[in-house]
Amino acid sequence: MMTIEEFGRRLRAREVTAEHVTDGCLRRIETDNPRLNAFILVMADDARRQALEADKALAAGRDRGPLHGVPISIKDLLDMRGLPTTAASRVRDGHLANRDAAAITHLRQAGAVFIGKTNLHEFAFGTTSEDSAFGPARNPHDPARSPGGSSGGSAASVAAGMALASIGTDTGGSIRIPAAACGTVGLKPSIGEVSIDGVVPLSRTLDHVGPLTQTVSDACLVYHALLGDGRVTPPAPMPLHGVRLAVLRRYFCDVLEDEVRARFESALDRLRAGGAHVDDIDIHHATDIASVYLHIVLSDAAAYHATALETMPERYTPPVRLRLEMGRYILAEDYVRALEGRELLRREVDAALAQHDALVLPTLPIPAPPLGANSVEVGATTEPVRNLMLRLTQLFNVTGHPAISIPSGRTSAGMPCALQLVGCRMQTDALLRVALTCEPHVSSEVRS
Amino acid sequence: MWAPVWGAALAVPGDIMTIDAWLQAAIADAERRGLPELRPALEALARATTALRAADFNDHADT
């Protein structure tokens, strides 16, 4: 499957056309989407027209940069002018966006071809993409399993070759979790870098927009396009020798499925062997992360949904409705306590990064769970799926640090595992450079 | 517009809004609103709130 970088080289060498590659993605959608349910809307005619225009523009000498003519899918949580933004919910029936989200505006300017809008967990409030008004999205590596969520359709679309990249959102891990579950790269930039204007919110204080791609280089290209800086080329990797990594052990590595743990330790061994300096480090208040996150996300989500919960509760899927209702019972004093905890956790992650280039931990403690599973056995314990899926990612939404998920091998059943790197706030480019450096040492072919 | 979720149920048993009192009031309110299935979720939230209040980063006026 072609990366954006390879597509760009071959497009400019006149070896491929945007029309040809877009047609290939559309054929893959036709073949695989009935099985994977990754797309809510396929924009076949419009995508072909955009691709043709991209080819004509290039032939006329108008090159918009690295995303010129690249077929990209969009999570159906971002407004696209003239189209419904369903958020995978019947609550949004009849909606039509009258303008583009800021991220979409930037991608249009960068010359991207929009191939369709992808399925997600309803209102992005879940980690499995199974509670959707359009039915569950499925994992390309095993359709009986979840593709992760909430950007599950986005990850499935990239992993299955239905798009060269996708745009997702991440409030507690919703880019990184599906990226890990489907074997793609997923980048949550630093908080506030990529505009969330025109994105249906889950929590305006935790929401991020970012790319899902096949490689770190491609993530870098799409990230810069999302910033409105569509002509940047990826930085050169730095030498691995001397890169300082800190492994988050206590709490973060306490509950890991055996094969996930083995792939993680094996990736660390390869990084050490390549010359990286790898320390262990603790986040002192790690055991408070889940309660801090829960009180913030539930309160923020309940405020946005309060009216719809009263006027059309039957239009929500029952699990998402119940989750939203929980937030309406949180006391203001507890929300304030959570905000205090957020500041403390931010300072602790800053301190952990003070002497390191990046923090490192797995992205998911388990491989993609079976659809319909409420809990999963990990070692001697049985844990709720939602708690496990969020356990290793939600901290960096609370603190705002940039984080990227990179494939790190497969389980014996063929399901992807992933490693997460975390960088300093407002230094996403520096994190991407570390990720480019580490990627060849930790990644193996996991795409279907 | 929506009605306050808590309604009259905000009157909790006892004088102080302890987590137990909050939970009982919340469950009663959910049942009044026809949402008895919210009970396990509220019990989980009560456990999270207990942990949040016990965290050592909380400031207290009397300490």
Side-chain angles (χ1 to χ4, degrees):
Chain A
M1 192 166 30
M2 210 182 299
T3 66
I4 294 175
E5 274 198 313
E6 184 187 354
F7 168 76
R9 277 194 303 275
R10 296 185 64 190
L11 181 73
R12 286 163 186 85
R14 306 290 191 263
E15 293 171 8
V16 296
T17 63
E19 189 185 18
H20 174 77
V21 173
T22 298
D23 267 338
C25 290
L26 289 170
R27 277 197 302 277
R28 188 60 74 94
I29 292 171
E30 205 174 311
T31 307
D32 286 350
N33 199 51
R35 181 173 63 98
L36 301 178
N37 201 25
F39 282 85
I40 287 173
L41 175 70
V42 180
M43 299 150 61
D45 292 344
D46 208 37
R48 285 196 184 94
R49 183 186 56 73
Q50 292 173 54
L52 199 59
E53 283 173 8
D55 288 332
K56 284 180 181 169
L58 197 65
R62 295 191 302 276
D63 187 341
R64 294 191 178 189
L67 293 200
H68 188 111
V70 173
I72 289 182
S73 64
I74 305 293
K75 185 178 187 177
D76 199 10
L77 202 65
L78 283 80
D79 282 345
M80 295 185 72
R81 187 181 58 239
L83 296 175
T85 311
T86 70
S89 181
R90 294 292 174 214
V91 170
R92 303 279 294 180
D93 281 355
H95 173 267
L96 213 58
N98 57 16
R99 65 189 182 99
D100 283 336
I104 299 297
T105 299
H106 288 147
L107 292 171
R108 279 194 205 281
Q109 288 165 351
V113 170
F114 299 111
I115 201 151
K117 302 195 81 178
T118 53
N119 203 355
L120 64 147
H121 209 112
E122 183 181 29
F123 281 110
F125 209 4
T127 59
T128 58
S129 302
E130 58 195 318
D131 297 318
S132 161
F134 300 90
R138 295 175 181 275
N139 195 308
H141 298 276
D142 178 354
R145 291 179 185 258
S146 162
S150 63
S151 311
S154 285
S157 75
V158 175
M162 299 165 161
L164 267 55
S166 191
I167 305 302
T169 65
D170 190 317
T171 304
S174 282
I175 289 172
R176 292 159 288 156
I177 291 167
C182 291
T184 76
V185 169
L187 170 68
K188 180 197 82 67
S190 199
I191 196 159
E193 280 187 311
V194 177
S195 174
I196 56 170
D197 180 55
V199 179
V200 177
L202 177 53
S203 157
R204 287 194 172 95
T205 74
L206 300 167
D207 291 344
H208 300 65
V209 172
L212 296 99
T213 56
Q214 297 171 66
T215 64
V216 176
S217 283
D218 283 2
C220 187
L221 296 174
V222 180
Y223 160 67
H224 275 279
L226 289 169
L227 294 177
D229 185 11
R231 292 188 175 275
V232 166
T233 51
M238 56 214 278
L240 185 59
H241 187 81
V243 169
R244 300 159 305 166
L245 302 173
V247 182
L248 296 182
R249 288 279 180 198
R250 192 180 63 84
Y251 174 79
F252 299 95
C253 291
D254 288 352
V255 182
L256 296 181
E257 193 264 353
D258 288 347
E259 287 197 85
V260 170
R261 185 185 300 280
R263 298 298 169 279
F264 179 63
E265 294 299 339
S266 166
L268 292 179
D269 287 344
R270 292 196 296 276
L271 289 167
R272 282 191 198 95
H277 185 79
V278 183
D279 285 333
D280 287 357
I281 202 161
D282 277 349
I283 299 295
H284 184 61
H285 283 88
T287 52
D288 296 315
I289 293 166
S291 61
V292 166
Y293 174 78
L294 190 71
H295 284 79
I296 294 172
V297 73
L298 289 180
S299 301
D300 289 354
Y304 177 72
H305 285 274
T307 304
L309 283 168
E310 288 300 320
T311 58
M312 53 183 82
E314 74 287 350
R315 293 200 189 177
Y316 289 93
T317 61
V320 169
R321 180 190 175 195
L322 286 183
R323 208 168 293 143
L324 289 167
E325 286 285 358
M326 283 169 75
R328 307 182 78 193
Y329 289 93
I330 289 175
L331 299 180
E333 64 177 83
D334 292 316
Y335 185 72
V336 172
R337 289 186 179 102
L339 296 180
E340 290 292 322
R342 179 180 203 166
E343 287 304 316
L344 179 70
L345 288 165
R346 187 177 287 152
R347 290 196 297 273
E348 291 186 357
V349 176
D350 283 344
L353 280 159
Q355 304 298 325
H356 298 92
D357 297 302
L359 308 180
V360 58
L361 67 164
T363 308
L364 279 175
I366 53 171
L371 286 166
N374 289 319
S375 58
V376 174
E377 279 183 27
V378 184
T381 64
T382 300
E383 297 278 341
V385 166
R386 180 177 164 79
N387 293 1
L388 285 170
M389 300 288 268
L390 290 167
R391 184 178 173 95
L392 308 181
T393 52
Q394 61 195 345
L395 171 60
F396 311 108
N397 297 80
V398 168
T399 66
H401 292 77
I404 188 166
S405 179
I406 305 173
S408 65
R410 294 195 195 207
T411 65
S412 52
M415 298 310 294
C417 300
L419 173 145
Q420 188 178 196
L421 293 165
V422 182
C424 293
R425 280 186 286 142
M426 304 312 287
Q427 293 184 34
T428 303
D429 267 326
L431 171 66
L432 283 164
R433 195 155 181 239
V434 173
L436 278 167
T437 303
C438 295
E439 184 181 32
H441 299 270
V442 301
S443 284
S444 58
E445 182 55 49
V446 291
R447 291 178 286 276
S448 64
Chain B
M1 292 300 289
W2 66 92
V5 173
W6 286 94
L10 189 56
V12 299
D15 296 324
I16 300 171
M17 184 62 91
T18 62
I19 291 174
D20 261 357
W22 166 85
L23 178 59
Q24 294 313 312
I27 289 169
D29 187 66
E31 285 173 354
R32 178 187 63 79
R33 297 174 58 233
L35 287 169
E37 65 272 33
L38 199 52
R39 184 186 188 117
L42 289 169
E43 289 169 346
L45 179 58
R47 290 192 291 276
T49 304
T50 301
L52 184 70
R53 291 187 183 185
D56 65 7
F57 54 72
N58 290 301
D59 286 334
H60 303 285
D62 59 344
T63 57

